[in-house]
Amino acid sequence: MTTDPAVTATPGDDDANPANAAADRLFRHESARLRASLARTLGTARLDLVEDVVQDALVAALHHWRFAGIPENPGAWLTRVAQRRAIDLIRRGHAESRALTHWLARQEGTPDRDLDDELAMLLACASPALPESCRVPLMLHHVAGFSAAEIAHAFLISNDAAAQRLVRGKQILRDNAVSIEVPEAEALHERLSPTLDAIYLMLTEGHSASPGQPHIREDLLAECERLLTIITTDHRTASPAAHALMALVLFTRSRSPARLSDTSAITLLSEQDRALWDRRRINRAMLHLARAAGGTALTRYHLEAGIAAVHATAETFDATDWRQILELYNALQTVHPTPVVAVNRAAARAMIDGPAAALADLDAAARTLDGYLMYWATRAELLTRLDRPSDAAAALRCALACSPNDAESALLTQRLARAQAAAEELRPRPSPRDPKRESPPPSSP
Amino acid sequence: MPKFLLMLMDNPTADANLSPQEMQAIVGEYTKWASSLAQQGKLDGGEKLAEEGGRLIRHTGPKVTVTDGPYAESKEVIGGYFIVNAASYDEAVAIAKTCPHMTHGAATLVRRIEETRQ
């Protein structure tokens, strides 16, 4: 059983080697850098032109690099192509010649501007003018180099819907003349909070993918880490909450290598090989968590990172400090009460006070948890420990009805078979198809 | 061993809508293919050709005309070339068929390079 639905995993393709990981996403990140640089100068009113210049440079890179290989400094290569394109457009008397000239002039500036450009772009994508549904897609597109189709894939929406959100977002940025700048003081604070919320959303999706998706979308987790690196390395935006969220992302990614077995099945926290956890990421997470303690505000990111830290420092599952975890969940229930928190809190309680007490907690909260997969899965686990296999089987059937992804579905089906077998053993003369056991139990006892 | 020229033809607008990640995957396929050929000693270079069609210079008698590209009206342009070492046309074609261009390009023209030894 898991006390943290954040406990499952991906093939650790790149975790072993961060250099490879960066190289795997080189086109995305280099194009994002170029896009941010252009957008910063050209402004939100000319994002279509930005898009054209970036895509043009990328196609040139594709056509060149397939013969010559990727050059030593791909970013500089792309920038040079974009500059040539800009010069060409100016020569042909493009309507935006002035802005393009301005961009060319700015290229002589310091390279440090690059990171600042991306931060400015990221904060623009969290503009209060934008509806929430547009923010994450805009960030993924403009700062992470995802295409509309890739955004659609990550969030299980149609290509059209993703493209529409990008178009609409772009329109809103233009209509509201949102500037691509790192704002000052109060305005910066107002931008940062929704930026972190959007990254948290990416983390959630990256961690437990939708049905039909690989269980962990390493891509999304990698982007969360990258965006937060941008935020936490700039003193203006490196708030305690940002550090806390960074710690949470790093703790989550540190477990990726252990979470999916070779067959892409889920390996639960209790069964994970902790030797596979990425110690380097855990150490970095600890550093960020220490820096997160600087402020006065206690955010959900602090508490969730704190819980992850307790797990990361426990040598074995049994050695976990469940009391501390329960306390953190209690605090989380005050700061940010959600079904996820309620279920995880009950699971932690089971480790201290036993399954019956935890089941009573779940019963009390059952009404709000009805459609939540982890509620049924946790319930099934508690019922199994209480030797009630047929009730556990019924709960597992409800869990399976909550649109699990493939890896979750495989795990639940396996448990269901085990629970059914145990239930058969308890009945001396079972009928092969007992209609009563086919129907789900009432949602609240 | 005879050398063959593999001319890789593209549809100039085909790649316009690829995402950065897709482009990276494609570049990766080509470089993997080229380095595996090189390891077997079968690759003798390759270059991208600049611009889409180049210039075509035609002279009929005293009249010389220069136009943009021999393929101005065609849908396909030569993106670049590889030179491979192969024993025969059959082998050269077999090598070309393993190139990722089969999936990502429009066509491949294979020509044997005439040996100049007396």
Side-chain angles (χ1 to χ4, degrees):
Chain A
M1 178 188 68
T2 166
T3 52
D4 172 0
V7 203
T8 14
T10 200
D13 52 77
D14 57 52
D15 275 64
N17 189 341
N20 279 355
D24 283 348
R25 302 179 179 91
L26 181 136
F27 274 54
R28 267 188 188 156
H29 298 165
E30 294 302 341
S31 67
R33 254 173 227 146
L34 177 59
R35 185 180 283 116
S37 161
L38 279 157
R40 182 99 182 241
T41 315
L42 269 58
T44 44
R46 302 183 187 92
L47 286 178
D48 287 334
L49 176 59
V50 170
E51 213 58 41
D52 285 349
V53 175
V54 171
Q55 192 65 12
D56 189 75
L58 279 170
V59 172
L62 166 67
H63 287 166
H64 200 101
W65 298 352
R66 63 186 172 166
F67 292 102
I70 294 175
E72 205 137 289
N73 189 343
W77 197 99
L78 282 175
T79 302
R80 270 199 310 280
V81 174
Q83 286 166 337
R84 275 205 292 273
R85 175 82 176 142
I87 291 167
D88 190 44
L89 289 172
I90 293 165
R91 276 202 196 122
R92 285 197 243 157
H94 192 275
E96 303 294 351
S97 288
R98 268 190 64 183
L100 288 166
T101 309
H102 188 166
W103 178 68
L104 285 168
R106 227 203 72 186
Q107 295 304 295
E108 276 128 57
T110 58
D112 280 350
R113 285 289 277 178
D114 285 357
L115 210 59
D116 190 13
D117 285 343
E118 288 183 282
L119 180 61
M121 191 77 217
L122 181 59
L123 293 168
C125 294
S127 161
L130 291 163
E132 252 174 74
S133 64
C134 288
R135 289 178 193 163
V136 170
L138 282 176
M139 282 178 196
L140 282 174
H141 181 65
H142 289 288
V143 198
F146 278 51
S147 69
E150 286 159 355
I151 293 166
H153 188 71
F155 287 91
L156 221 79
I157 52 177
S158 71
N159 285 1
D160 284 348
Q164 222 162 14
R165 281 184 210 179
L166 289 178
V167 169
R168 190 161 158 245
K170 217 156 49 171
Q171 216 162 31
I172 293 170
L173 289 176
R174 186 177 50 217
D175 294 349
N176 290 274
V178 173
S179 66
I180 301 172
E181 282 302 332
V182 181
E184 304 279 329
E186 198 55 30
L188 177 59
H189 183 76
E190 274 169 24
R191 285 291 173 86
L192 190 55
S193 176
T195 305
L196 296 181
D197 287 345
I199 295 172
Y200 182 81
L201 204 70
M202 270 181 230
L203 170 67
T204 314
E205 184 62 28
H207 193 268
S208 175
S210 310
Q213 297 284 89
H215 192 69
I216 295 195
R217 298 292 321 282
E218 198 58 27
D219 265 11
L220 286 178
L221 296 185
E223 290 315 324
C224 290
E225 189 176 323
R226 180 171 164 272
L227 298 182
L228 284 166
T229 303
I230 295 172
I231 292 172
T232 54
T233 46
D234 192 303
H235 67 94
R236 292 166 295 179
T237 47
S239 68
H243 280 296
L245 184 53
M246 179 59 146
L248 180 60
V249 168
L250 288 168
F251 279 129
T252 305
R253 282 198 90 195
S254 75
R255 290 195 295 239
S256 293
R259 283 179 59 201
L260 279 192
S261 56
D262 294 339
T263 52
S264 289
I266 300 175
T267 309
L268 297 174
L269 183 59
S270 54
E271 291 151 19
Q272 284 175 24
D273 179 358
R274 292 176 183 227
L276 293 177
W277 289 359
D278 179 351
R279 290 288 143 195
R280 229 182 11 211
R281 278 216 170 81
I282 291 177
N283 292 341
R284 282 175 58 208
M286 289 295 184
L287 289 175
H288 280 285
L289 196 55
R291 297 182 67 185
T296 48
L298 185 64
T299 65
R300 58 190 294 210
Y301 310 136
H302 285 89
L303 294 165
E304 289 184 39
I307 292 163
V310 176
H311 285 302
T313 48
E315 294 207 355
T316 62
F317 183 74
D318 293 328
T320 308
D321 185 347
W322 294 109
R323 283 192 189 281
Q324 201 185 343
I325 287 187
L326 184 60
E327 265 172 45
L328 288 163
Y329 273 122
N330 286 340
L332 198 50
Q333 217 165 23
T334 316
V335 173
H336 198 84
T338 65
V340 186
V341 173
V343 169
N344 287 336
R345 192 198 154 275
R349 177 132 195 242
M351 301 305 293
I352 301 165
D353 301 326
L359 197 60
D361 285 354
L362 281 186
D363 285 347
R367 202 164 302 161
T368 57
L369 303 176
D370 199 19
Y372 176 48
L373 188 149
M374 284 308 296
Y375 163 66
W376 292 111
T378 305
R379 206 179 158 79
E381 178 67 27
L382 296 172
L383 289 163
T384 303
R385 288 171 59 187
L386 290 167
D387 276 329
R388 291 164 58 186
S390 59
D391 291 339
L396 286 164
R397 275 185 221 109
C398 290
L400 279 163
C402 294
S403 318
N405 68 35
D406 292 348
E408 288 164 346
S409 174
L411 183 71
L412 292 168
T413 307
Q414 184 195 340
R415 296 202 160 180
L416 179 58
R418 218 184 290 158
Q420 278 170 334
E424 293 297 319
E425 265 177 43
L426 288 182
R427 294 174 193 217
R429 292 174 60 83
S431 60
R433 276 195 165 268
D434 182 347
K436 229 166 58 197
R437 286 167 57 238
E438 299 293 328
S439 59
S443 57
S444 55
Chain B
M1 186 177 287
K3 293 186 189 306
F4 290 83
L5 182 68
L6 271 47
M7 290 207 269
L8 276 56
M9 330 262 278
D10 293 310
N11 173 342
T13 55
D15 302 324
N17 293 319
L18 291 173
S19 76
Q21 200 65 10
E22 290 165 334
M23 293 189 191
Q24 176 153 7
I26 294 171
V27 168
E29 286 180 43
Y30 279 88
T31 47
K32 203 173 137 199
W33 175 81
S35 69
S36 127
L37 269 192
Q39 259 170 17
Q40 303 165 53
K42 289 186 174 168
L43 187 66
D44 206 42
E47 300 271 9
K48 179 194 186 293
L49 295 178
E51 280 88 44
E52 291 191 339
R55 308 281 183 278
L56 178 67
I57 305 170
R58 254 186 211 291
H59 29 86
T60 26
K63 196 181 160 218
V64 176
T65 55
V66 179
T67 52
D68 272 358
Y71 302 104
E73 69 290 342
S74 156
K75 279 188 197 126
E76 289 163 9
V77 297
I78 301 172
Y81 67 87
F82 286 106
I83 293 172
V84 300
N85 302 314
S88 62
Y89 251 110
D90 283 351
E91 194 194 351
V93 168
I95 289 173
K97 278 183 174 171
T98 63
C99 179
H101 205 65
M102 295 295 116
T103 319
H104 305 297
T108 304
L109 179 67
V110 181
R111 295 289 301 267
R112 186 164 66 86
I113 297 172
E114 183 86 28
E115 288 159 270
T116 49
R117 266 180 282 131
Q118 301 94 325

